[in-house]
Amino acid sequence: MSEVILHHYDPSPFSEKVRICLGIKGLTWRAVQQPVIMPKPDLVPLTGGYRRIPVMQIGADIYCDSQLIVRELDRRFPDKPLFPIGNAGLAIGIEQWCDKALFQSAVMAIFGAIGDAVDPAFIKDREALSGQPFKVAAMKAMAPFALDQIRTHAALLAQQLADDRAFLAGDAPSLADAAGYYNFWFIRSFCPGLADRFGDLPGFDVWYDRVTAIGHGARTAMTPEVALGIARDAQPDELGTLPGDAALMGKAVTLAATDYGRDPILGIFVGSTHFSLSVARELADLGRVNVHVPRLGYSITPV
Ligand SMILES: N[C@@H](CCC(=O)N[C@@H](CS)C(=O)NCC(=O)O)C(=O)O
């Protein structure tokens, strides 16, 4: 199997979720640094339009969105399951909760605190990403509320840890921990002093430190040029399709996130599972790559 390549940037919170999952599995992987704002000339040719971070590449298979990346990591490397047996729903539930409600509060608290110092180019980029104005003054006004919400999220996680279990789903770390952890890592790394410790939540910080100690597995850097060369020299894996999607096989479709960063990915529909949708893209300089997105939260539109 080709190497696991993560296209990311170090301060990216959704990438931190994936990096902790790589650490849980003790995997060796390659890290390609991508820009924090557009343009992303070494990423978008691979994804066919998707610009968000992280993206995982394995040979000529390109996986968009941390939700699908962790699922694919678990499929390819089943040791140390990210979806704990008998408790997969707990991990998925915590991931949904933390990717949406907690992430929104974290963004508000962070940019409420540092918004005045943020590069205008970043603000312009994130306005294009979200289709909404980036209102620093409104975020500043909401920051105390956001911080209170964040403490409450921490208290809810602490409730799950109240029986002194080591990790959210029991004795072993899983996706539940990576998902529960990364927003607090985001706030604590960006805004030291804002939510450094929750002294009144016994168990929370002991657990946080335990997740930090998992680390990221064995990471080495790779240049974008080498990653593109790997895609060019590889063939995508064989795929299956759900019977309900058979009519779309071989047809031109676009796939797009339905929340933000909705840039469509145009390709030929080549496969699906209950959790993913896949298109093939034929590129003059890269050959064929298959691009995969999660099914949940993504639309598929025949062209
Ligand atoms: N649902 C996506 C969300 C990804 C996301 O919002 N990533 C942020 C960085 S952590 C992003 O892409 N920001 C815009 C950018 O980097 O261009 C996932 O789970 O991967």
Side-chain angles (χ1 to χ4, degrees):
M1 192 195 301
S2 299
E3 294 175 291
V4 172
I5 302 169
L6 191 69
H7 296 261
H8 75 156
Y9 45 85
D10 287 312
S12 152
F14 285 94
S15 303
E16 182 65 6
K17 182 201 333 176
V18 174
R19 292 185 297 246
I20 293 287
C21 289
L22 289 160
I24 289 171
K25 289 193 175 286
L27 292 177
T28 296
W29 56 284
R30 310 300 301 270
V32 176
Q33 293 288 338
Q34 293 287 351
V36 176
I37 62 173
M38 292 293 271
K40 305 192 186 194
D42 298 317
L43 179 73
V44 171
L46 274 178
T47 62
Y50 187 83
R51 59 153 296 179
R52 300 195 296 191
I53 293 291
V55 167
M56 179 172 76
Q57 174 188 351
I58 300 184
D61 283 286
I62 311 298
Y63 300 91
C64 300
D65 198 298
S66 63
Q67 193 196 139
L68 182 60
I69 294 172
V70 298
R71 189 169 281 281
E72 183 61 20
L73 281 174
D74 213 49
R75 189 185 73 80
R76 289 181 184 249
F77 307 97
D79 270 6
K80 312 215 171 114
L82 296 174
F83 299 85
I85 294 154
N87 257 334
L90 175 66
I92 294 163
I94 291 179
E95 183 185 40
Q96 291 290 318
W97 153 22
C98 296
D99 283 3
K100 307 275 187 254
L102 179 49
F103 177 65
Q104 291 309 325
S105 293
V107 166
M108 210 183 286
I110 290 172
F111 290 102
I114 62 165
D116 287 333
V118 174
D119 182 350
F122 177 89
I123 294 183
K124 203 162 157 240
D125 180 85
R126 291 312 192 253
E127 287 183 333
L129 176 78
S130 66
Q132 312 272 348
F134 191 100
K135 293 184 180 153
V136 172
M139 286 196 261
K140 265 175 145 168
M142 293 295 280
F145 168 73
L147 203 52
D148 188 62
Q149 294 297 294
I150 287 160
R151 283 179 196 287
T152 308
H153 287 294
L156 291 167
L157 291 169
Q159 187 179 8
Q160 176 70 6
L161 297 162
D163 60 1
D164 285 336
R165 60 183 59 208
F167 294 103
L168 287 166
D171 293 339
S174 72
L175 169 61
D177 301 286
Y181 169 86
Y182 77 86
N183 281 295
F184 296 96
W185 168 87
F186 186 29
I187 300 161
R188 289 174 174 184
S189 354
F190 265 82
C191 293
L194 201 59
D196 285 352
R197 294 272 124 181
F198 299 119
D200 56 342
L201 295 175
F204 183 90
D205 285 310
V206 179
W207 164 81
Y208 181 90
D209 293 342
R210 208 175 272 134
V211 180
T212 306
I214 292 170
H216 294 160
R219 156 186 172 167
T220 50
M222 179 181 271
T223 64
E225 294 72 28
V226 171
L228 288 167
I230 288 172
R232 185 168 47 239
D233 296 341
Q235 289 299 318
D237 280 2
E238 292 297 317
L239 294 170
T241 306
L242 293 187
D245 297 325
L248 284 171
M249 280 299 276
K251 303 247 162 72
V253 297
T254 57
L255 306 176
T258 53
D259 49 1
Y260 57 93
R262 298 183 192 182
D263 315 75
I265 304 164
L266 173 63
I268 303 297
F269 185 74
V270 284
S272 65
T273 69
H274 288 297
F275 308 115
S276 63
L277 298 165
S278 306
V279 292
R281 295 177 37 78
E282 203 69 51
L283 304 163
D285 45 350
L286 287 185
R288 178 175 158 180
V289 298
N290 280 357
V291 183
H292 315 271
V293 300
R295 201 164 186 126
L296 200 61
Y298 283 72
S299 63
I300 174 163
T301 311
V303 176

